Amino acid sequence: MKIPDVTSWDWRFSEVEKFCSRNNISENKKRIIIEGYKEIREVLGEDFLKKSLNSMIPSLCNFTPWSLQKNADFGQKLRLLKDRKDFEDVKRDLVQDNFENSFGAEAVVEVTGNFIEKGLDVELIKCKKGERTPDLRIKVDNKWVYFEI
C-alpha cells in the first residue's frame, strides 16, 4: 500500500472532495471550499504544506466541516488582500516555518479581510525592520485609525 503524500495539495484536494461526497455537502458548497483551498495554494505556494511549524498546518490537516469552512473563508480573505500594497510583509510571515510569526500574520489576514468585507477603507502598513508598527489602518470619518493585531 502506497503512503499518501500529505504535503501535496493534490492529495488535500482529493481528500476534501471525498469528505464532501461522503457527507452530502452540496456541489456549490464543495466548489466554494475547493476555491478557498486553491487560493491558499496560489498565494502561499506549492511547498507551503511542508512547513511543519506553521500555525495553519493543523487546520489544513483537519477535514471537519468547520475547518473546511474556516479554510475556505481564509482563502477568500487572501483573495481580497493578495494584490494590496504591503501584502508581501504579511505573506512573508504567513509562509514562515515559525508558529508565532505565522499565527500573527494569520490573524492580520482574518481581521483585515473582515474589515474589507464590511466595505471599510483599509490599508496594510509596511513593517519597519526593528520597529514595532501597527499592522493596518482604517479610514473612519476621514481620519485614519491604526490597529496592531
Side-chain angles (χ1 to χ4, degrees):
M1 179 177 171
K2 185 180 175 194
I3 298 172
D5 180 6
V6 297
T7 65
S8 158
W9 283 104
D10 292 335
W11 177 83
R12 190 143 325 272
F13 294 141
S14 157
E15 290 301 305
V16 169
E17 291 264 355
K18 288 179 202 171
F19 179 86
C20 290
S21 296
R22 281 193 311 265
N23 291 282
N24 298 320
I25 293 175
S26 74
E27 285 300 314
N28 187 49
K29 189 68 167 167
K30 179 168 70 171
R31 180 187 53 76
I32 291 168
I33 291 168
I34 295 292
E35 283 175 4
Y37 275 77
K38 285 182 177 178
E39 194 67 40
I40 294 170
R41 175 176 72 178
E42 179 187 318
V43 173
L44 303 184
E46 201 64 42
D47 292 336
F48 178 71
L49 293 173
K50 295 177 172 104
K51 311 260 184 204
S52 62
L53 296 176
N54 188 286
S55 64
M56 290 181 58
I57 297 302
S59 176
L60 290 169
C61 292
N62 188 341
F63 293 108
T64 57
W66 53 88
S67 287
L68 293 175
Q69 185 61 54
K70 176 189 179 291
N71 294 328
D73 291 345
F74 190 80
Q76 300 306 319
K77 288 179 172 99
L78 283 175
R79 179 178 289 134
L80 294 172
L81 293 173
K82 69 182 180 182
D83 296 325
R84 288 187 174 256
K85 184 177 180 251
D86 297 325
F87 176 71
E88 286 304 311
D89 282 349
V90 176
K91 180 181 173 183
R92 182 198 61 232
D93 288 346
L94 271 175
V95 299
Q96 283 187 3
D97 207 6
N98 175 306
F99 187 85
E100 187 176 325
N101 288 356
S102 59
F103 187 74
E106 190 177 348
V108 169
V109 169
E110 291 284 348
V111 171
T112 306
N114 287 338
F115 286 143
I116 292 168
E117 287 172 344
K118 300 291 185 219
L120 297 170
D121 185 4
V122 180
E123 289 183 5
L124 295 166
I125 297 175
K126 185 162 186 61
C127 180
K128 295 179 182 169
K129 207 154 189 97
E131 286 184 38
R132 192 173 175 109
T133 58
D135 297 303
L136 59 112
R137 67 184 189 167
I138 300 173
K139 191 173 265 187
V140 179
D141 295 330
N142 290 322
K143 294 181 183 173
W144 288 107
V145 179
Y146 292 81
F147 292 85
E148 184 169 340
I149 310 300

